[in-house]
Amino acid sequence: MGKRNTILTLGILAIIFIIAAQVIILRGLWKQENEMLTLRYRSLAQEANASLRGSVIEVHDTVRYILSQYSRKLVKELPEIKDETSLNEKKKEILDYFTTALEKEQDFTAFLSKYFEDQGFEKNFNYRISITNIEIITSDTTSFIAYRSDSYLGLGSGGPGNIAPEAEESKTSISVLRQRLGDNYFYLNFEYYIDFSDKQKLILRDTAASLIISLLSILVILTIFMITYRNLMEEKRLSNLKTDFINNMTHELKTPLATITVAGKTLEMPQIRSDDSKILSTAKLIGKQSVHLNQLINMILEISMWERTEFQLDKKTVNVEELMNDIVSSFRQGYGHSAVLNQKYNFKGINADIDLVYFTTMVNNLLSNAVKYCEKEPEINIEGFVEDKNICISIADNGIGINKTDQKHVFDKFYRASGGNIHKYKGLGLGLYYVKKIATAHGGDVTLNSKPGKGSIFTVTIPY
Ligand code: ADP
């Protein structure tokens, strides 16, 4: 038990370590991909912007024109505004106007999108424009500062094409461009961000292969672990069953041996030797027990025989109903003499290819169990019928029944239901194992339906 738990704990620990390692690796990969994506798009935007340089006028032409017209008007208006409040309002109005004009009229986004697409990258992105400085040039030497952001002041003025620092970037937006636009009437500085709202999806797409391989490897490791663990448990169970079998067998062998020993001792007694009838009955007892002992030894030999070779069926075509009648009537005369045996057949007179010896053993095992595992007067209902080219034989008893857990294992070699091992019911846990083996050797199967305390129904199906 301790060993099993150690293996389980070690296995689970190993799996946790492997999963943790995979998670760390994947996180690193994700971070790396994230950085690569930022770098890639930033350098792409930079390239795009550089390619614009010769024709920068075209891209910002419209917005420059609109802003120039607006600023020209402002140059005239501004000197007339005297009080602080109106001036502040004007500043706000200017910022709004510039912002709206930039948002609406800039063609950089369309240009960038096309550029990204041409280079084989994602063309859909959101953008954000952040104005850092607006100056209205009122004369050759003076200018009216309508707006100036803190970052503009802090970072100094960048020339066209300068890249804004990462500090301004949020998790999904990439600062790709710092632009300066102007003419005789105004100066404008703004930063352009591209915002991949589905950046995570892009990264996921790029890392999908690694992700899948990693998940698969975890899955494979888990499966291998589970299979190994199950095999280990199965081996343990089999070895326990074998030990039980040896204990049961020893017990079975000891009984006749003890009787023979006692009988031998009895024969040595002078008062017995003088009585012929006692000698005879003791000799008979020895003979009977020797036969039993012999049967047991033969059975052990047979078990090893069955194990070594896949047994060969010697099939003969027989009338199933006649065969069943024969088997049940000889059972009635022997082990089943105390039981009520009801038969109901509807075999429609069919003949089937059957190995008589094995088939008889199979039905006998089921019938014997029905009598053996019963605590009242055994009543056994034997039914036979044909269904879909199969012979079906069901043997229902009113015995102790089998619980759900044991039902899964009763056909296993050496398996005895938990109550069965206490020598109350003698047995080696092989009867049903042979039943299953014989049924499958005939191309069929056996099923069980049982309720503890109520009884069991075993149904054998064999194709004909
Ligand atoms: P054995 O009878 O030698 O123990 P079997 O392989 O015939 O071995 O049966 C396996 C176990 O299944 C038995 O130990 C018993 O607990 C249970 N079993 C088999 N047949 C019946 C039955 N008809 N009713 C109740 N329990 C049964």
Side-chain angles (χ1 to χ4, degrees), residues 248 365-374 395 397 399-402 406 409-412 414-421 425-435 448 450 455-458:
N248 285 324
N365 284 357
L366 290 174
L367 291 175
S368 316
N369 279 351
V371 175
K372 186 160 71 167
Y373 296 104
C374 187
I395 295 175
D397 62 48
I400 58 171
I402 304 168
D406 287 331
H409 301 292
V410 283
F411 296 106
D412 293 354
F414 303 136
Y415 191 86
R416 307 205 69 215
S418 28
N421 253 339
Y425 307 101
K426 287 186 176 163
L428 299 169
L430 288 167
L432 290 183
Y433 170 69
Y434 288 153
V435 168
L448 163 63
S450 180
S456 315
I457 308 172
F458 287 89

Side-chain angles (χ1 to χ4, degrees), residues 11-265:
I12 290 173
L13 270 179
I15 287 175
I16 291 173
F17 274 130
I18 290 167
I19 293 176
Q22 299 274 7
V23 169
I24 291 170
I25 292 170
L26 281 178
R27 270 184 55 179
L29 193 75
W30 189 276
K31 213 172 137 213
Q32 204 180 348
E33 271 298 319
N34 194 1
E35 277 163 14
M36 292 242 303
L37 197 88
T38 308
L39 276 176
R40 192 187 309 144
Y41 280 94
R42 189 182 291 157
S43 69
L44 268 178
Q46 210 170 359
E47 270 173 38
N49 192 48
S51 78
L52 265 183
R53 240 174 238 175
S55 58
V56 74
I57 295 163
E58 279 168 38
V59 166
H60 295 299
D61 216 16
T62 322
V63 71
R64 193 199 306 270
Y65 177 76
I66 291 171
L67 291 179
S68 181
Q69 292 296 314
Y70 178 66
S71 303
R72 191 193 294 209
K73 257 184 19 214
L74 284 175
V75 173
K76 286 191 197 118
E77 279 175 29
L78 281 171
E80 274 150 41
I81 306 171
K82 295 283 178 251
D83 68 302
E84 190 78 10
T85 333
S86 315
L87 208 62
N88 281 340
E89 265 171 32
K90 197 72 199 168
K91 278 183 179 176
K92 198 172 165 302
E93 191 191 303
I94 295 170
L95 179 63
D96 284 350
Y97 189 91
F98 268 68
T99 310
T100 320
L102 255 186
E103 291 281 351
K104 277 199 187 147
E105 304 298 340
Q106 57 86 19
D107 291 327
F108 188 63
T109 305
F111 173 77
L112 211 57
S113 175
K114 173 99 180 47
Y115 192 84
F116 283 0
E117 192 183 7
D118 289 347
Q119 305 285 321
F121 291 97
E122 180 62 41
K123 70 174 170 125
N124 293 320
F125 56 86
N126 298 323
Y127 66 92
R128 182 162 64 84
I129 296 171
S130 159
I131 293 177
T132 48
N133 179 47
I134 303 172
E135 284 173 51
I136 309 297
I137 303 166
T138 40
S139 76
D140 283 350
T141 47
T142 53
S143 67
F144 172 76
I145 297 164
Y147 176 74
R148 192 163 271 187
S149 78
D150 295 345
S151 66
Y152 178 82
L153 286 173
L155 300 162
S157 57
N162 271 14
I163 297 303
E166 280 177 50
E168 281 284 302
E169 287 171 12
S170 75
K171 248 190 155 45
T172 52
S173 63
I174 306 169
S175 165
V176 291
L177 179 72
R178 172 175 288 181
Q179 188 78 49
R180 187 174 169 89
L181 204 68
D183 68 358
N184 295 336
Y185 299 100
F186 75 98
Y187 264 129
L188 165 69
N189 291 67
F190 65 89
E191 280 177 30
Y192 187 93
Y193 296 87
I194 57 175
D195 192 334
F196 285 102
S197 48
D198 54 357
K199 189 177 172 191
Q200 311 288 339
K201 236 192 268 167
L202 281 180
I203 300 176
L204 195 69
R205 205 174 56 190
D206 287 350
T207 49
S210 324
L211 212 76
I212 289 171
I213 289 175
S214 163
L215 281 179
L216 275 182
S217 64
I218 290 177
L219 221 73
V220 167
I221 290 168
L222 269 178
T223 319
I224 291 176
F225 174 73
M226 259 145 67
I227 292 174
T228 317
Y229 186 71
R230 240 197 23 213
N231 285 350
L232 200 80
M233 291 300 99
E234 185 60 20
E235 251 173 51
K236 178 107 185 110
R237 200 177 65 83
L238 267 179
S239 107
N240 284 346
L241 286 177
K242 265 191 192 145
T243 317
D244 285 348
F245 169 76
I246 290 168
N247 289 342
N248 285 324
M249 198 70 207
T250 317
H251 179 80
E252 292 282 308
L253 287 171
K254 264 188 178 164
T255 320
L257 210 59
T259 320
I260 291 171
T261 316
V262 173
K265 285 254 171 4

Side-chain angles (χ1 to χ4, degrees), residues 231-383:
N231 285 350
L232 200 80
M233 291 300 99
E234 185 60 20
E235 251 173 51
K236 178 107 185 110
R237 200 177 65 83
L238 267 179
S239 107
N240 284 346
L241 286 177
K242 265 191 192 145
T243 317
D244 285 348
F245 169 76
I246 290 168
N247 289 342
N248 285 324
M249 198 70 207
T250 317
H251 179 80
E252 292 282 308
L253 287 171
K254 264 188 178 164
T255 320
L257 210 59
T259 320
I260 291 171
T261 316
V262 173
K265 285 254 171 4
T266 316
L267 280 180
E268 284 173 14
M269 293 176 187
Q271 66 268 41
I272 300 287
R273 268 184 304 192
S274 58
D275 186 339
D276 270 0
S277 68
K278 284 204 172 136
I279 293 181
L280 192 67
S281 67
T282 315
K284 271 190 184 161
L285 188 68
I286 293 177
K288 207 173 137 202
Q289 291 304 325
S290 314
V291 171
H292 184 46
L293 208 58
N294 199 31
Q295 274 172 348
L296 284 173
I297 290 166
N298 278 346
M299 203 165 94
I300 299 175
L301 290 177
E302 206 182 310
I303 292 165
S304 57
M305 273 269 296
W306 280 46
E307 284 317 296
R308 255 182 277 131
T309 48
E310 268 303 307
F311 54 94
Q312 293 283 314
L313 294 184
D314 181 15
K315 286 189 185 173
K316 288 198 172 64
T317 310
V318 285
N319 180 291
V320 185
E321 186 158 345
E322 279 171 19
L323 176 63
M324 280 304 292
N325 276 322
D326 285 351
I327 297 172
V328 175
S329 68
S330 21
F331 181 73
R332 187 178 275 131
Q333 282 155 26
Y335 193 64
H337 63 91
S338 61
V340 179
L341 294 160
N342 303 316
Q343 298 184 77
K344 200 169 100 190
Y345 299 130
N346 187 8
F347 285 121
K348 298 174 180 161
I350 56 136
N351 292 322
D353 289 338
I354 280 170
D355 183 307
L356 286 179
V357 177
Y358 284 126
F359 187 86
T360 310
T361 309
M362 176 177 75
V363 178
N364 267 328
N365 284 357
L366 290 174
L367 291 175
S368 316
N369 279 351
V371 175
K372 186 160 71 167
Y373 296 104
C374 187
E375 294 189 326
K376 37 194 163 200
E377 190 193 350
E379 184 176 339
I380 307 169
N381 290 311
I382 308 149
E383 282 188 32

